[in-house]
Amino acid sequence: MVPVIIICHLEQFLFESEIKKMISSDPDMNAMKDNGELEQNKEGLIISITDKKNLYIFDGSTAKLKPYAESLLSKIADLIKFAPNFIAISGYTKKTDEDPLAQYTNWHLSADRANSARRFLINHGIAPEKVVRISGYADSDPIYPEDPYDSRNTRISILLFRNSAAPSYKVAITKDLGVISNSDSGTK
């Protein structure tokens, strides 16, 4: 019998290396080297896609994904849809000179962008029950605090929670830790 476990530190390390391998071997994903970041924190593995000069992930000041971002998110979905981990998606914007009392602010926009990414990922194979949180942070957590207006502060982050699994997912790891396979436990 193959042991059933939830992704933990070692498996997240393997998963992170798999994502890095995917990025380096795929010419379409190669651009993510400049636009993306993988980071481990106490909550889990974070995959971020950021704007860069002349290559934006959203269409202007909207939540409409650009084809470039859709391509990256599609490839990310192909990889993470087999991970059992719960997922949180966060949106961030660069600073703009806006009226904080306006009907629609960067708080709304960043949340709408996170939700747009959620819809896209679900349409590309991510189980809806795996997405447990959508957050919009506006310009409150810039990557470049010295220049909050820099477009590279605009990003989407996908967090794969450490030591968590959606109820209908289990992950089996072979003895040599070389193969990870997903199985449906039939539970809800």
Side-chain angles (χ1 to χ4, degrees):
M1 180 171 173
V2 177
V4 176
I5 61 173
I6 295 172
I7 290 184
C8 61
H9 296 291
L10 177 59
E11 291 78 23
Q12 288 217 329
F13 172 76
L14 293 171
F15 191 65
E16 183 176 354
S17 69
E18 190 64 28
I19 291 173
K20 286 179 180 176
K21 185 171 31 168
M22 177 186 76
I23 291 169
S24 65
S25 66
D26 185 327
D28 294 333
M29 292 291 288
N30 219 5
M32 192 171 163
K33 287 181 182 176
D34 296 329
N35 283 60
E37 181 179 300
L38 296 175
E39 175 188 346
Q40 294 266 352
N41 71 14
K42 64 183 178 182
E43 288 188 286
L45 176 66
I46 302 171
I47 305 166
S48 294
I49 302 172
T50 63
D51 272 355
K52 77 175 190 183
K53 302 222 184 283
N54 301 320
L55 195 52
Y56 305 107
I57 53 179
F58 291 99
D59 198 9
S61 293
T62 72
K64 183 178 181 338
L65 290 161
K66 291 247 191 200
Y68 161 75
E70 289 179 344
S71 174
L72 290 176
L73 283 173
S74 177
K75 291 178 183 287
I76 291 168
D78 286 344
L79 186 62
I80 67 173
K81 67 183 168 189
F82 296 110
N85 306 66
F86 285 119
I87 297 169
I89 304 168
S90 302
Y92 303 83
T93 64
K94 67 180 182 178
K95 185 169 183 60
T96 59
D97 294 323
E98 67 179 7
D99 176 359
L101 300 177
Q103 287 291 103
Y104 192 81
T105 66
N106 277 345
W107 290 100
H108 299 96
L109 179 59
S110 59
D112 287 348
R113 287 176 169 180
N115 201 33
S116 179
R118 177 197 63 84
R119 284 191 304 273
F120 186 88
L121 291 170
I122 288 171
N123 286 331
H124 286 81
I126 301 298
E129 65 271 11
K130 289 173 56 175
V131 181
V132 296
R133 184 174 71 204
I134 298 296
S135 304
Y137 292 97
D139 58 12
S140 67
D141 186 20
I143 296 172
Y144 300 97
E146 68 283 355
D147 186 4
Y149 293 93
D150 190 321
S151 64
R152 296 174 297 171
N153 289 314
T154 299
R155 66 194 182 279
I156 290 294
S157 294
I158 302 163
L159 169 64
L160 295 154
F161 285 100
R162 175 178 288 125
N163 298 326
S164 72
S168 63
Y169 285 81
K170 292 181 182 179
V171 65
I173 301 179
T174 63
K175 186 176 180 181
D176 67 359
L177 296 178
V179 177
I180 301 175
S181 65
N182 186 40
S183 64
D184 186 344
S185 68
T187 61
K188 295 273 176 182

